[in-house]
Amino acid sequence: MPHIRVASFGGGIERSYKMVDNHLVTTLVERWRPETHTFHFKFGVTTITLEDVQVLWGLPIGDEVVSGRDNRLTFSEQRYLCNELLGLHVEENDFKTQKLRLTRLTAELGNDFPEDASEDDCVRRARVHRDLWPINVVAIWAWEIIIHVSPTHSMEYQSGKAYGSRSNCHLSFREIPNHAISHYRSQLQSLQAFEFNWMPYFQAEDLLPKSCLSGKDSWRCDTALLFWEVVEPHLPSRVMRQFGMVQTIPRNLIFNKKEHMRMHKVNRKG
């Protein structure tokens, strides 16, 4: 745990890795427009912003760009690196186009981790947690912002932790149609603006740790997010209601259509 906190991923552990509702994520993806990076509803558009990422998980958003150079590796080299850096014993079918499959990482978390593990083993497990945190971003965000798909939490938010940690408790889905695409489609199709929680963290802002607020000045910045060769637009000017402001006509996209479609084909999926 100390190694994960040093890497600023402690909020992901506080939130824990509960089962993600893939049907909810699938239904939201159907409403995703890659041209504007927003979810489209009857009442307008919304998206996951830098504010959501930092408040829910406490991740720093103003540090250096994560980038480098990829070299094509043989399977022997891949196997060595996975064992050395992640503590994983892998097979060839654990890879897809030189990328380690996420299913292999999630399976590793199901294995018991000894309490008397060595320092090196703790560092390796911390890297596994770091690589997995994005998996449930969409579902947790939806729970906070779309009232009709949010489960009932058995405890209130505890100050001093990332806001997403409040989901690390018993969640009751009795009042919502979980794990059913047809029900989610119906709910989202009829969703009205007043049923949308535009500013879910507003009342808890004074209770959040500094790690969740350090990048506040950048939350409304139209910019490009960089991760190795992947470039993703961040366009909060299209969702100003999520910041308690009046939505005006948004500016044009920061990339032309041809360039945007070219970049959108670049990803690091495993």
Side-chain angles (χ1 to χ4, degrees):
M1 189 67 174
H3 298 289
I4 297 174
R5 292 195 180 281
V6 168
S8 300
F9 283 84
I13 303 303
E14 291 171 353
R15 183 260 171 265
S16 183
Y17 292 98
K18 293 185 180 293
M19 182 67 70
V20 176
D21 190 339
N22 292 317
H23 294 90
L24 172 58
V25 175
T26 298
T27 309
L28 284 168
V29 169
E30 292 176 348
R31 293 184 168 274
W32 179 255
R33 297 304 307 170
E35 300 90 342
T36 56
H37 281 240
T38 54
F39 298 103
H40 281 233
F41 298 97
K42 279 186 174 181
F43 55 82
V45 300
T46 182
T47 195
I48 301 173
T49 67
L50 287 175
E51 177 187 18
D52 297 308
V53 171
Q54 188 166 31
V55 171
L56 287 172
W57 285 275
L59 288 174
I61 60 174
D63 289 351
E64 297 295 327
V65 172
V66 179
S67 187
R69 183 178 66 181
D70 280 337
N71 296 314
R72 188 168 186 84
L73 304 175
T74 65
F75 173 65
S76 295
E77 292 171 325
Q78 292 174 324
R79 181 169 53 189
Y80 169 77
L81 288 175
C82 284
N83 184 58
E84 181 69 17
L85 299 178
L86 301 175
L88 300 181
H89 300 286
V90 296
E91 304 295 338
E92 287 193 62
N93 59 6
D94 290 326
F95 290 87
K96 178 183 178 181
T97 62
Q98 291 277 301
K99 304 294 192 302
L100 181 64
R101 294 179 184 273
L102 286 176
T103 51
R104 181 64 186 86
L105 289 175
T106 54
E108 182 63 20
L109 289 183
N111 298 330
D112 293 333
F113 191 69
E115 294 184 5
D116 59 347
S118 67
E119 182 79 1
D120 288 342
D121 286 339
C122 289
V123 171
R124 293 185 182 104
R125 178 53 67 98
R127 292 191 181 113
V128 173
H129 281 284
R130 175 202 63 190
D131 292 340
L132 277 175
W133 81 267
I135 293 178
N136 53 15
V137 167
V138 176
I140 303 304
W141 170 82
W143 288 352
E144 296 295 343
I145 209 163
I146 305 176
I147 298 172
H148 288 329
V149 303
S150 178
T152 302
H153 295 69
S154 62
M155 70 177 189
E156 297 295 327
Y157 166 67
Q158 297 179 0
S159 63
K161 294 183 178 181
Y163 196 77
S165 65
R166 81 188 196 98
S167 294
N168 189 12
C169 64
H170 174 71
L171 303 174
S172 173
F173 293 87
R174 290 183 178 181
E175 306 298 326
I176 62 172
N178 65 314
H179 301 291
I181 289 182
S182 60
H183 289 282
Y184 281 137
R185 284 173 177 163
S186 176
Q187 290 281 357
L188 298 185
Q189 178 63 27
S190 60
L191 192 66
Q192 302 295 318
F194 68 87
E195 297 169 318
F196 198 83
N197 191 1
W198 293 100
M199 301 176 67
Y201 328 115
F202 179 73
Q203 294 183 340
E205 187 169 319
D206 292 338
L207 304 176
L208 293 168
K210 291 182 179 179
S211 60
C212 292
L213 300 169
S214 60
K216 189 173 182 179
D217 292 341
S218 302
W219 289 349
R220 291 195 288 112
C221 177
D222 275 9
T223 185
L225 308 179
L226 308 180
F227 179 69
W228 293 75
E229 72 273 29
V230 179
V231 181
E232 295 285 350
H234 176 254
L235 304 172
S237 62
R238 293 181 171 270
V239 292
M240 296 308 293
R241 285 183 288 183
Q242 289 181 227
F243 298 94
M245 305 177 72
V246 176
Q247 180 64 57
T248 58
I249 298 176
R251 68 189 71 178
N252 292 332
L253 300 176
I254 56 179
F255 306 113
N256 62 47
K257 183 177 180 180
K258 182 178 180 180
E259 181 67 7
H260 183 277
M261 297 307 295
R262 183 188 71 81
M263 290 191 302
H264 209 267
K265 295 178 180 179
V266 179
N267 63 65
R268 299 181 66 83
K269 293 179 181 178

